[in-house]
């Protein structure tokens, strides 16, 4: 049973380019979370999604950032016109269903570097 | 908004020592979870506490949930070098959207 899969593991972008990070949840999991982690920092909540529905995006910056979790395919975190401050590790986690207060399963992360 | 605070932020111990780290939430929680992240790795689930005053043990790790469901602690006995990493607590507010808010973590280093 494959775990949470994230790709790419490492991504380098120049300022102004777009970054797309993908996350395939564990089999049977219909809820996805995205977190951002700066070096030596904690995990900052960004967005919580269900298939075709954003449940909570209170942690998402108002501009340049968007997330989706379509009916088919992986969840995608999109960052437009990247700036150096976007450099971070972006972790995706999945859980079985809303109301399930059980554990989150994390992927290995996508590390974005903006030059 | 909901905030989760952990103290201390850094902990350096001698192998074999015991220590405790604490987690406090600004809101009442429906549950609290603890995760461990090794250097360069991803967070891995350790435990979940749901009931007021609940205590759970995993070998040398003891986790406690406060009576008011706003704080938690992790106690490690006889620390080993394999315990090195960052320990995060994460809380889910009662009546919220079920998002899990993480503390900034407690980074543990162990002197062999």
């Amino acid at each position: 049973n494959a775990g949470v899969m994230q790709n790419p593991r490492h991504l380098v972008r120049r300022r102004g380019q777009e970054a797309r990070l993908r996350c395939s949840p564990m089999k049977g999991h219909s809820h996805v979370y995205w977190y951002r982690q700066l070096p030596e920092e904690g995990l900052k909540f960004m967005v919580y999604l269900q298939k075709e529905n954003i449940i909570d995006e209170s942690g998402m910056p108002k501009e340049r950032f968007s997330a989706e979790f379509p009916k088919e395919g992986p969840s995608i975190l999109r960052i437009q016109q990247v700036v150096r401050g976007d450099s971070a590790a972006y972790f995706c986690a999945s859980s079985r269903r809303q109301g399930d207060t059980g554990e989150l399963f994390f992927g290995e992360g996508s590390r974005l570097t903006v030059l | 908004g909901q905030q989760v605070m952990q103290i201390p932020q850094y902990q350096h111990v001698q192998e074999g020592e015991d220590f405790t780290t604490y987690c406090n939430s600004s809101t009442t929680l429906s549950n609290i979870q603890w995760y461990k992240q090794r250097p360069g790795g991803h967070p891995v689930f350790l435990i979940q506490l749901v009931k007021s005053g609940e205590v759970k043990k995993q070998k040398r790790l003891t986790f406690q949930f406060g009576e008011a469901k706003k704080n938690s602690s992790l106690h490690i006995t006889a620390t080993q070098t394999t315990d090195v990493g960052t320990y995060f607590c994460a809380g889910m507010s009662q009546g919220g959207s079920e998002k899990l808010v993480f503390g900034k973590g407690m980074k543990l280093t162990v002197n062999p």
Side-chain angles (χ1 to χ4, degrees):
Chain A
N1 189 13
V4 177
M5 304 299 291
Q6 288 189 251
N7 70 82
R9 293 288 309 280
H10 299 273
L11 182 63
V12 179
R13 284 288 178 266
R14 296 191 182 279
R15 281 179 297 170
Q17 291 184 321
E18 179 179 287
R20 283 193 182 215
L21 310 177
R22 295 172 190 79
C23 170
S24 296
M26 285 184 67
K27 187 177 180 180
H29 287 195
S30 58
H31 292 263
V32 163
Y33 299 74
W34 285 94
Y35 289 86
R36 177 162 66 178
Q37 186 175 42
L38 294 169
E40 303 294 314
E41 291 281 327
L43 293 153
K44 183 175 181 297
F45 170 80
M46 298 182 76
V47 63
Y48 171 28
L49 309 110
Q50 180 185 18
K51 280 197 182 285
E52 298 185 285
N53 186 27
I54 296 174
I55 299 173
D56 187 328
E57 57 180 349
S58 58
M60 288 279 273
K62 293 285 187 283
E63 297 176 347
R64 302 189 297 108
F65 284 72
S66 62
E68 62 175 4
F69 188 13
K71 187 177 179 181
E72 302 290 336
S75 174
I76 295 175
L77 180 66
R78 182 183 178 204
I79 311 173
Q80 295 178 289
Q81 299 170 3
V82 296
V83 301
R84 288 214 174 111
D86 297 332
S87 296
Y90 292 84
F91 286 96
C92 168
S94 71
S95 68
R96 284 177 295 176
R97 61 186 180 273
Q98 192 168 14
D100 177 357
T101 56
E103 66 183 286
L104 296 187
F105 293 83
F106 279 84
E108 294 189 347
S110 291
R111 285 157 176 81
L112 172 65
T113 301
V114 179
L115 301 177
Chain B
Q2 179 192 359
Q3 290 186 335
V4 176
M5 293 145 287
Q6 288 187 248
I7 51 169
Q9 196 172 349
Y10 300 94
Q11 182 84 44
H12 180 74
V13 299
Q14 198 73 24
E15 192 172 21
E17 285 184 349
D18 301 351
F19 78 92
T20 303
T21 182
Y22 300 90
C23 175
N24 296 294
S25 170
S26 59
T27 60
T28 302
L29 302 171
S30 59
N31 72 78
I32 195 157
Q33 300 178 19
W34 285 86
Y35 290 77
K36 178 182 178 182
Q37 184 178 25
R38 293 185 185 278
H42 60 281
V44 175
F45 175 82
L46 293 176
I47 204 111
Q48 176 180 266
L49 303 168
V50 178
K51 297 176 185 176
S52 170
E54 188 172 11
V55 177
K56 286 188 177 180
K57 289 189 175 185
Q58 283 183 353
K59 297 183 180 177
R60 295 176 295 102
L61 276 60
T62 302
F63 303 84
Q64 186 165 6
F65 202 6
E67 293 290 340
K69 301 185 77 173
K70 293 185 75 173
N71 55 71
S72 180
S73 64
L74 160 59
H75 180 78
I76 302 183
T77 58
T79 309
Q80 299 178 358
T81 54
T82 52
D83 295 327
V84 162
T86 301
Y87 293 80
F88 293 98
C89 64
M92 190 176 291
S93 279
Q94 285 184 346
S97 71
E98 292 161 7
K99 72 181 181 186
L100 200 58
V101 175
F102 280 73
K104 288 193 172 183
M106 187 281 299
K107 185 175 182 179
L108 174 67
T109 52
V110 178
N111 203 21

